[in-house]
Amino acid sequence: MTDTLTPPTVAPLASERRVVTAIPGPRSIALQERRRQVVSDGVSSALPVFIERAHGAILVDVDGNQFIDLGAGIGVTTIGHTDDAVVAAAGAQLADVTHTLFTITPYEEYVRVAELLAEHTPGDFAKKTVLVNSGAEAVENGVKIARKYTGRAGVAVLEHAYHGRTNLTMAMNFKAMPYALGFGPFAGDVYRAPNSYPLHDGLTGEAAAKRTIDYLEKTVGASDLACLVVEPIQGEGGFIVPADGYLPALQEWCTANGIVFIADEIQSGMARTGAYFASEHFGLVPDLVLSAKGIAGGLPLAGVTGRAEIMDAAQPGGLGGTFGGNPVACAAAVAVFERIESDGLLAEAARIEARLRPALEGLRKRFPVIAEVRGIGAMIAVELLDPATHEPRADLPARIAAEAAQRGVLVLTAGTYGNVLRFLPSLALDDALLDDALEVLTESFAAAGA
Ligand SMILES: *Cc1c(COP(=O)(O)O)cnc(C)c1O
């Protein structure tokens, strides 16, 4: 690992944590004031420091503070901020062709991304893709396609799920506050079943799957379901890893009943867990895979990829959108796939887990409020429960994150109760930075009174 990071055309950025003002600093405070006048209060920010530059795993704010970023924009800059290959590919594409609209005149980069998704999503069969702009749009299109293919309306989702902020996806989320409260009426035909949550339900995968399936059969009926949408590892829900055998049993039931099995890999996909898609860890071969977040190194791009006969159920003109599969975003995505492949980035996720998980287990010995360390690869979380009552400690993660921010580490919270700290750093986070961030985290647990 090098000790300086060199994005093109700008001065090198030292790959280190550096706190030079109070957090937020004076320039961030001034910008926050301007923002308050003109940006909707409906858009919030976890940490109101304004970022001016970023590279690798480092964010630099307008006051010159440097943060170690353990969130990567919620798993978006998975291969690193301003990755050199992504910057070069997107920059060249920007100058060549910025936009044509694929549904008017196509271009090769869109086709290349579809080829790469066909190659790297699980399953050895003919696959096709539609590209869109955001994760929620991928979810919407996955459901649309499954409904057309099956001729059924019902959409099954799981407790603790998160699928987006559009009208349909609001109805698919578990948590009403802040995502849905007051924003109705909501889309119908969405059915929410119990999930597998080993820390809380203590069920085997088999027993949890039976509970999910019984619930759906009784409350909907398999023959009315177009699709079941699952996150292999639930993201916003708090990196919930289902018990062994749970997801394969659900998939088997879907297949037996003609229900399209859709893996929402928007947070768990694109090398995050040390596999291209987390489905691989569970032996899943989804009918449709949804990707977004990490796919284009920070540019907006998302896709639905799956069995050709399902994807082709949509009539010509039924799928698309003005910006969907934008050439610049596609060129960036091609660079991301190439970097993962040629630089062995799947192994970097395993390297991060090998260092992060034991450190968090160590922290758990010191702070019994940590009930569990869970996750796979560079998608690891700790859930905080009162050791005596097992009630969620909803107050703590935000306090710990605030303490860490004061010390120059950005860490994100998650969980239905907000009682989870999640770590989803860029794979460019080297061991020295990770160790430094872990020291800060230990101090922050103590400072927050954990
Ligand atoms: C972020 C996310 C979405 C929504 O993606 P957007 O790009 O924010 O619309 C959907 N599903 C999962 C699992 C996500 O993590």
Side-chain angles (χ1 to χ4, degrees):
M1 291 289 160
T2 53
D3 58 358
T4 59
L5 301 161
T6 315
T9 71
V10 286
L13 174 60
S15 179
E16 64 186 21
R17 178 170 65 92
R18 188 185 293 161
V19 179
V20 296
T21 69
I23 306 293
R27 296 183 66 192
S28 276
I29 290 172
L31 281 164
Q32 182 69 4
E33 199 36 52
R34 274 173 59 195
R35 167 219 175 116
R36 242 184 239 121
Q37 306 301 319
V38 290
V39 178
S40 164
D41 288 351
V43 189
S44 59
S45 296
L47 177 60
V49 299
F50 283 71
I51 302 302
E52 192 168 70
R53 276 182 72 188
H55 195 65
I58 296 287
L59 294 168
V60 187
D61 77 7
V62 289
D63 292 290
N65 299 297
Q66 298 200 175
F67 296 85
I68 301 174
D69 181 9
L70 299 181
I74 313 197
V76 169
T77 53
T78 301
I79 71 165
H81 289 286
T82 60
D83 177 82
D84 292 354
V86 168
V87 170
Q93 185 62 43
L94 187 62
D96 283 346
V97 183
T98 308
H99 174 83
T100 68
L101 213 177
F102 194 78
T103 60
I104 297 178
T105 49
Y107 39 88
E108 181 179 352
E109 290 72 22
Y110 190 119
V111 177
R112 185 68 195 129
V113 173
E115 288 169 349
L116 288 162
L117 282 165
E119 183 183 338
H120 292 294
T121 48
D124 197 11
F125 40 76
K127 292 176 205 153
K128 293 197 175 182
T129 286
V130 57
L131 296 177
V132 290
N133 302 294
S134 69
E137 214 187 334
V139 177
E140 294 258 358
N141 278 277
V143 169
K144 226 166 104 168
I145 294 163
R147 283 175 164 166
K148 185 75 201 269
Y149 175 72
T150 58
R152 306 171 181 176
V155 176
V157 294
L158 297 177
E159 289 179 349
H160 303 287
Y162 178 78
H163 297 293
R165 284 185 171 91
T166 57
N167 187 259
L168 173 62
T169 55
M170 277 193 293
M172 295 169 69
N173 296 337
F174 184 62
K175 223 171 148 169
M177 185 61 193
Y179 307 124
L181 209 71
F183 294 144
F186 302 106
D189 286 302
V190 175
Y191 303 92
R192 181 172 299 106
N195 68 340
S196 166
Y197 197 158
L199 176 65
H200 291 283
D201 62 28
L203 295 176
T204 64
E206 193 186 1
K210 183 175 182 309
R211 183 174 67 168
T212 304
I213 291 166
D214 281 352
Y215 181 90
L216 290 171
E217 283 183 340
K218 294 222 167 56
T219 60
V220 202
S223 62
D224 263 1
L225 284 176
C227 56
L228 168 65
V229 186
V230 303
E231 299 158 84
I233 299 174
Q234 292 182 311
E236 301 304 301
F239 291 8
I240 303 167
V241 183
D244 282 348
Y246 175 73
L247 292 171
L250 293 192
Q251 167 148 44
E252 201 176 304
W253 174 73
C254 284
T255 304
N257 289 281
I259 301 163
V260 177
F261 184 82
I262 303 180
D264 179 345
E265 291 257 20
I266 289 166
Q267 196 157 156
S268 59
M270 293 306 296
R272 169 75 30 214
T273 65
Y276 272 97
F277 292 94
S279 288
E280 292 172 42
H281 297 295
F282 304 99
L284 297 177
V285 182
D287 297 314
L288 302 181
V289 172
L290 312 178
S291 37
K293 291 199 161 88
I295 192 173
L299 279 89
L301 186 69
V304 184
T305 302
R307 292 183 183 275
E309 68 273 19
I310 300 178
M311 294 298 296
D312 283 341
Q315 62 274 29
L319 305 179
T322 304
F323 291 117
N326 168 269
V328 179
C330 284
V334 172
V336 169
F337 275 106
E338 282 171 3
R339 281 271 282 121
I340 293 172
E341 200 62 26
S342 59
D343 297 323
L345 294 190
L346 298 178
E348 294 301 300
R351 169 185 63 80
I352 286 173
E353 176 177 359
R355 214 166 180 91
L356 182 53
R357 180 185 287 279
L360 293 173
E361 288 291 357
L363 207 60
R364 181 173 171 222
K365 295 208 172 71
R366 179 161 165 202
F367 299 99
V369 72
I370 299 178
E372 185 175 58
V373 180
R374 61 178 179 243
I376 303 178
M379 187 173 188
I380 304 284
V382 295
E383 179 165 343
L384 308 185
L385 299 179
D386 184 299
T389 64
H390 286 261
E391 286 297 311
R393 281 297 301 270
D395 55 314
L396 264 185
R399 280 213 319 262
I400 293 165
E403 292 289 348
Q406 292 303 316
R407 293 164 172 79
V409 171
L410 176 60
V411 57
L412 305 181
T413 63
T416 296
Y417 301 98
N419 65 325
V420 173
L421 279 167
R422 60 174 149 173
F423 306 92
L424 61 170
S426 132
L427 305 180
L429 180 73
D430 65 29
D431 290 347
L433 281 182
L434 178 51
D435 289 348
D436 185 30
L438 282 162
E439 258 177 56
V440 167
L441 194 69
T442 307
E443 282 171 30
S444 303
F445 263 75

